[in-house]
Amino acid sequence: MRRKKIRLPLAVTMLVFFLSFSAFSFASDKCEKGMKMLEDQLVSRNVRGHIIGATGEPMIGVNVVEAGTTNGVVSDIDGNYMIILTTNNPILNISYIGFKTQTINVGNRSVIN
């Protein structure tokens, strides 16, 4: 009985070849530094507060956005907000239609009214 030669398509051969290597074997120092910078930015701490108008009534729908990110929230019906910060030195931009935007450096505070 004769043995039949099995021929694999080139695509299958290449796939087997590439899958035999670890994906992380190609990582460079530049990639590792980038990951470290990303980890440093992911701080994840909460800031909350209460927003009121000049007459003392709560302001509904005020935008509170962490500067330099797309991370933001809107104040609720009682003027309260809570945002999870994602950067090391957070700055909040607080804006509302018809009002001047306020920029507040958070520092170590966890409550900003």
Side-chain angles (χ1 to χ4, degrees), residues 36-51:
K36 177 67 175 144
M37 287 173 55
L38 183 61
E39 288 172 2
D40 289 344
Q41 289 179 350
L42 300 175
V43 176
S44 188
R45 65 182 177 112
N46 296 341
V47 170
R48 60 183 173 81
H50 184 72
I51 302 173

Side-chain angles (χ1 to χ4, degrees), residues 25-79:
S25 65
F26 298 106
S28 67
D29 288 338
K30 193 173 188 179
C31 181
E32 290 174 14
K33 288 177 185 175
M35 289 299 293
K36 177 67 175 144
M37 287 173 55
L38 183 61
E39 288 172 2
D40 289 344
Q41 289 179 350
L42 300 175
V43 176
S44 188
R45 65 182 177 112
N46 296 341
V47 170
R48 60 183 173 81
H50 184 72
I51 302 173
I52 57 172
T55 59
E57 76 282 351
M59 294 185 67
I60 304 165
V62 176
N63 296 303
V64 180
V65 179
E66 186 175 8
T69 71
T70 57
N71 181 30
V73 296
V74 177
S75 63
D76 66 14
I77 195 164
D78 297 318

